[in-house]
Amino acid sequence: KSWVQNIQTLRSDSTVCSIFITRHFKHPPLFRQVDISSATRNLAGGSHGISVVSKKKMADTPENHAILRDKFSRIEASRLEKEKEILEREQKENDSKEKGFKIQTVETGQNKRIVLITHFNVFMYATCYWIQSGTLPYLTKKLGADPVSFGHLQTVFAISQLLGGPIYGRLGDLFGERTALITAFSSSVLTYLLTGVSYSLPILFLSRLPSVFLHVMQGSQMVVTALSSDKDRAAALARLGFSYGVGMVLGPTIGGLVTTNFGEHSAAFLAAGGSCISLLLVILYVPNIPKQVQPDTSQSVLNIKQIFSLILLPKAGALLLVKTVCGIPIGIMQSMFSLIAMEQFKLPADQNGMLLSYIGALSMFMQGIGISAFTSRFTDLTLLKFSSVSLVVCYYLLSLLSSLQDFMLLQIPMVCSLSLINSILQSSLTKAVPSSQTGTMLGLNMAVHSTIRTVAPTIGGAMMANLGYPSIGYLGMGCNLVVLILLKMLNLQ
């Protein structure tokens, strides 16, 4: 292009018709199309590598050489100046893009603060949730509800979470993680405040409706996903589980003390106060996180077609299928855990709580340290296969054992494998979609979890009543064998 511009510049002088600059252009076929009407002469004795062809038979004199040399010098200076301007403009554009759109790594100062606040908020969310969750059975009983009504209350909450997860994720994709977190903590404040003023069952049921957007964990996962690289994402997401586990341990204890000394309503107000602190932290210290691909904010948050179109993506759909299959047995086991401890191992309430704390400690250790160690050494697919094989063996042994000591020993490989497979699947789901749709994908992941949690108590109760405790082990073994087959058949590399 520069060569053509130089030719056009010299044509305007009506002196030189065709000029080759062999120093800069190395494509001889281009020169064959030029009409050469006279012999060429190298200017200045060939030292400059410039050949001149003239149809007007320019005189071969030092004066003409000087004129042409001066023209060439001006052309070359102009070309270099333009190239410099172009390079400077491109550099400025790249710097602007890098500053405005490129997501910085977690190691930068500002993002360290964001991640630290996010972990603290997850801890506060878990603490507040388990403060009010632990007192909720006592509050429903105080208001005159029977166990059936309490079950209905839990069903309303589960359905609200199920419906809200994908919509909340899309909200985060369109308007940013900061907006999503503000929405989630506002929802938690409203839920706990309504619980605190619930002096009748209708108001208590009404308090579950704002929980449709009570997805603090999902919003925090969106933040960590945006601020982490693909390589470190599984470990970063797992560390959120560690922060949640700490709050899960402290929450029931605090809730029990407050309920005993000040009443159930005071515990709900305490949870609302803790959520207000987290809401203020987000408003004051969590900025908008720029996205590499800017979403179209004119689209509707309730675009159901756009939400569920992600399932049709080959890898995303396959991962959700694997998530569902491997999540069914653990969902049933978690829903029946208290019944298993009471009926199978004859544990009283206090020892049941100690067993739950033991399992929680194993999970926290794996999420805080173990997953990072595994993901730094092995690929995601290798870890998925390893975890599935381990779970097949664990569920089979679960169907055989009968003593509490054996059960506690079995929890070590079982909890580690479950934590690993869940973290890998969650991380892989965020990598299977464009960065502008990771929130919606996390919402669909949460919807799968909520669906399993909704139907698991019914299925688990029927299995325990008709087939006994070993049936859960057989179900887990079969489901994870199916997972191994799916990993073999589906292209998840």
Side-chain angles (χ1 to χ4, degrees), residues 3 20-27 31 42-43 46-51 69 72-73 76 79-80:
W3 180 72
F20 302 175
I21 307 180
T22 59
R23 181 187 303 169
H24 302 289
F25 300 96
K26 302 179 180 179
H27 302 285
F31 301 150
N42 187 281
L43 292 181
S47 61
H48 296 284
I50 300 176
S51 300
R69 189 179 298 109
F72 278 123
S73 298
E76 183 71 4
R79 183 185 66 80
L80 293 174

Side-chain angles (χ1 to χ4, degrees), residues 30-165:
L30 293 175
F31 301 150
R32 295 172 188 165
Q33 301 176 4
V34 180
D35 180 18
I36 301 177
S37 57
S38 66
T40 62
R41 176 178 294 275
N42 187 281
L43 292 181
S47 61
H48 296 284
I50 300 176
S51 300
V52 180
V53 178
S54 174
K55 287 185 177 180
K56 292 189 176 183
K57 304 291 184 180
M58 292 179 62
D60 188 6
T61 62
E63 291 79 7
N64 287 334
H65 289 177
I67 292 173
L68 290 175
R69 189 179 298 109
D70 182 58
K71 288 185 177 181
F72 278 123
S73 298
R74 291 199 302 270
I75 292 170
E76 183 71 4
S78 176
R79 183 185 66 80
L80 293 174
E81 185 177 354
K82 289 180 180 178
E83 286 185 355
K84 183 179 179 181
E85 291 177 359
I86 292 172
L87 290 174
E88 289 177 351
R89 185 167 62 249
E90 290 177 350
Q91 184 64 36
K92 289 181 180 179
E93 291 176 355
N94 291 335
D95 291 343
S96 177
K97 288 180 180 180
E98 187 172 349
K99 182 179 179 180
F101 299 107
K102 184 178 179 182
I103 304 302
Q104 299 174 350
T105 59
V106 178
E107 285 74 18
T108 59
Q110 184 184 27
N111 289 342
K112 278 187 176 181
R113 185 183 68 183
I114 296 173
V115 172
L116 181 61
I117 291 173
T118 300
H119 277 272
F120 177 78
N121 281 344
V122 167
F123 160 74
M124 288 293 293
Y125 160 67
T127 303
C128 295
Y129 174 80
W130 287 101
I131 284 174
Q132 66 89 37
S133 182
T135 60
L136 199 58
Y138 301 97
L139 180 58
T140 54
K141 184 178 180 180
K142 183 177 181 179
L143 297 177
D146 55 14
V148 175
S149 298
F150 179 73
H152 291 162
L153 184 68
Q154 295 295 80
T155 301
V156 171
F157 176 75
I159 292 176
S160 298
Q161 291 272 284
L162 171 63
L163 296 177

Side-chain angles (χ1 to χ4, degrees), residues 411-469:
Q411 293 308 303
I412 297 175
M414 194 170 190
V415 170
C416 291
S417 298
L418 286 169
S419 299
L420 189 59
I421 198 170
N422 285 332
S423 297
I424 295 296
L425 285 174
Q426 192 167 253
S427 172
S428 299
L429 282 169
T430 62
K431 301 174 189 176
V433 296
S435 59
S436 60
Q437 295 180 304
T438 53
T440 306
M441 191 72 255
L442 287 169
L444 291 173
N445 176 62
M446 182 63 69
V448 170
H449 176 72
S450 298
T451 302
I452 294 173
R453 188 173 58 183
T454 301
V455 302
T458 303
I459 299 174
M463 290 178 63
M464 289 286 290
N466 298 298
L467 302 174
Y469 157 75

